[in-house]
Amino acid sequence: MTNDAPVLLVTGGSRGIGASVCRKAAKSGWRVLINYLSNEAAATALKDEINQAGGVAEIVQGDTGNEFGIEAIFRAVDERFGRLDGLCNNAGVVDLGARVDAYGRERLERMFSINVIGKIRCASEAVKRMSTAHGGTGGAIVNLSSMAAVIGGSGQYVDYAASKGAIDTFTVGLAREVAGEGIRVNAVRPGIIETDIHASGGAPDRAWAMAAQIPMQRPGSSDEVADAVVFLLSSQASYVTGAILNISGGR
Ligand code: NAP
């Protein structure tokens, strides 16, 4: 791969959907910066896998839930690559399933810091580097929303669903704001996808346990989401902006 290949930052790229995006984007010719929070071993193994397959990947630790982390991530973009062409705004968390009347402020502050403020701040740092209004050459952003934004997450995590609703609105607003500056902004809304996120919400078997409620009768894979993300990042989606694509088996 040449060292003028486009550069993609994937937040939360060490595992799950983000890791699939890193693999598939690298195969499509992107140089990839894999951000992770705490699982350095997973990020390193993915980096080695991509580099051994002839791609270019680097890793950077950083918590998208605070400014210190975001600063470290974008410093790595600037120092190691000196350019940014794509952002997969992926890092996101759930919490243990609970009704709204059980939520405290601490839970909401963590959820919204990572899922909403972190994504908006990463997008603003990306726009500063990509926008033709800032001397950049354009780029593409794909935000990870969720079908929860539409369904509401009742009885499980309405806070998470509301954070994803914010991402839907943010996607449309930012897309229109920077459409004349060479940047396309889209989102995907995965349904139930088999990743570790369900275990972190206290229900490791959730994906298959919900299969009967999904019209296609199965959860999706992280690769099925990544295919859509890489398409939206690519020039094949050159006239697509402000779109939100459901990847949910009909749910
Ligand atoms: P996952 O398997 O739990 O992986 C989470 C990834 O995000 C890991 O790489 C983790 O890093 C990283 N991460 C977590 N908090 C972070 C933070 N504060 N700063 C930086 N990185 C952080 O999650 P997933 O299922 O792939 O979900 C990815 C995205 O898709 C999320 O936005 C999620 O809301 C959305 N989504 C998922 C589903 C689903 O069913 N899986 C459905 C709809 C939407 P470490 O490896 O270091 O821990």
Side-chain angles (χ1 to χ4, degrees), residues 35 60-75:
N35 158 245
V60 60
Q61 195 281 333
D63 184 347
T64 60
N66 65 55
E67 281 305 302
F68 184 74
I70 291 169
E71 199 182 298
I73 294 166
F74 282 88
R75 197 181 320 121

Side-chain angles (χ1 to χ4, degrees), residues 12 14-15 17 37-39 63-64 90 145 160 164 191 193 195:
S14 45
R15 293 183 292 116
I17 293 168
L37 177 63
S38 55
N39 197 332
D63 184 347
T64 60
N90 170 74
S145 174
Y160 172 81
K164 295 301 187 178
I193 309 299
T195 71

